[in-house]
Amino acid sequence: MSTTVSDFLLARLSEWGIRRIYGFPGDGINGILGALNRANGEFEFVQVRHEEMAAFMACGHAKFTGEVGVCLATSGPGAIHLLNGLYDAKLDHQPVVAIVGQSARTAIGGSYQQEVDLTTLFKDVASEYVEVVMTPESMRHVIDRAIRIARAQRAPTCVIVPNDLQELPYEKPARAHNTIHSGVGYAIPRPIPEEHDLQRAADALNAGEKVAMLVGAGALNAAAEVLDVADALGAGIAKALLGKAAVPDTLPFVTGSIGLLGTKPSYRMMMDCDTLLMVGSNFPYSEFLPKEGQARGVQIDIDARLISIRYPMEVNLVGDSASTLRLLRPLLKRKQDRSWRRKIEKEVADWWTTLEDRAMEDAHPINPQRVFWELSPRIPDGAILTCDSGSSANWYARDLKIREGMMASLSGGLATMGPGVPYAIAAKFAHPNRPVIALVGDGAFQMNGMNEVLTIGKYWKRWSDPRLVIMVLNNRDLNQVTWEQRVMDGDPKYVASQDIPDYPYARYANDAGLRGIRVDRPEDVGPAWDEALASDRPTVLDIYTDPDVPPLPPHVSFKQARHFAESLLKGDPNTAGVMRASVKELFA
Ligand SMILES: Cc1ncc(C[n+]2csc(CCOP(=O)(O)OP(=O)(O)O)c2C)c(N)n1
Ligand SMILES: [Mg+2]
């Protein structure tokens, strides 16, 4: 049989180093699936339960490997299902290539079954590159460009392949006018700023007496350089959510997360600093940064579009974080006065004590903070952690002590529910020898995580280390939003939108061939983590937690406190429990 366009597509993916494809079938991609079948196991096709999960997995793959993630879906409904996962990749700047089927070229424009205007559909999410492959000859440059642009722009791109084209014989472009002759390969550039701009940055940083650093996803591969510069500057380091694993939480001057899910020492440091050094972060909430005019600002980011948009920076350095910091370091004078650093370290130490006290506070039945607190010392070396959107993101951000050599991620920019479990699956495929822990809410688990447990059941025996623990924060509530209704809007909990069905997740896991552990007593939380992390198979930890413990911001404004009090007066159904659980934290 001659090489079809689909065979060629796969050969090209292989030349680009792609070995795994997350997807779900349909007749819009049967030509490609046939070629996958013929490829004799050269590709690992991972079959998901829903195409959105394939996109999340492709994004997770990119996050945990730095490589391009690839997802494959059929035309019409399959393609539409990918969207949210692709937006997750777009907003977190991850290279993902979506390959989708389309109606046959002979039918396009004919209101045919499953015909959707896919170019228009993907135009926004794949704004860097979305193309329909029109002829066998153009497959080569379209796939080459989709991959290269995804890498170069750190963005999702989309290749649309009409189903009739998939089975045609492949033809090389002729050496003629109107043909495109592309090649494989991409070398990551490491841009650096001009010397005089580095000097201006150093001057500002050298003049400061109270330097605060904020690091994000762009600092994930720059830990040594960040720590070196922080040492010279006597600075504390706060971390945006996606930068959780950039520097370890075990260091005494790391103030932890910032923002609504942040810590008090991060907040205090930003309010008191006279100089701000931001590295690789697009952290959105300006109210958690210094007041305009309070601090001199220096920012390092690889993307000039993201420079100086959260705080008016004095020096804007466009460059690779590690390389730029390495060049900056010799220009910095080590601060002799370490009193600012000492003050930060004292606040960090006090804060960890506060967090422990909060975690050990009684709740009904289990304080969610304790779940995360007990996990910290038990996280195995080299573990990969994922988290979902919901109240668990607060405790993940604040309570979890990340150590060196770990990776951790969640949906930062889109903050979508649902990626916790699919990211964890992608982490296991990418690093089958590393333990993976997913921290998800019961709402997110019901939304899609439960379905993907079946995917885990299908594949886990391929992983050399079978440990994948999914911790379900079982609070029978869409708790994060319930608290937002109370605190931000002063509304009581709207039961109709917030209560979710109670369900025995541990039993479900057992039925699916995994291990299920149900925990409903605080003293069992630690041993349950031990058991799950020593298990010979993937485990669902179903932990029955108290929805009345408030995931409050580190500083609660007077307005928010008043809203909160008003919501209780308006007859919130959880009034008694909420009062009991939160007075200590809120008004102490
Ligand atoms: C797809 C999507 N839908 C809705 C939201 C809004 N939202 C954010 S957190 C949350 C509640 C999540 O509930 P759950 O997973 O049970 O976690 P909990 O907050 O209860 O711990 C909701 C509805 C979202 N971020 N993403
Ligand atoms: Mg919940």
Side-chain angles (χ1 to χ4, degrees), residues 23 54 172 202 375 563:
K172 265 177 99 168
L375 169 60
H563 276 161

Side-chain angles (χ1 to χ4, degrees), residues 364-366 371 440-443 446 471-477 500-506 518-519 541-547:
H364 300 270
I366 294 174
V371 177
V440 306
D442 46 0
Q446 291 182 8
M471 188 285 296
V472 181
L473 205 63
N474 181 345
N475 54 24
R476 289 81 57 210
D477 185 28
I500 58 171
D502 196 351
Y503 190 86
Y505 306 106
R518 161 83 167 201
V519 185
L541 259 188
D542 171 3
I543 308 195
Y544 215 70
T545 52
D546 188 346

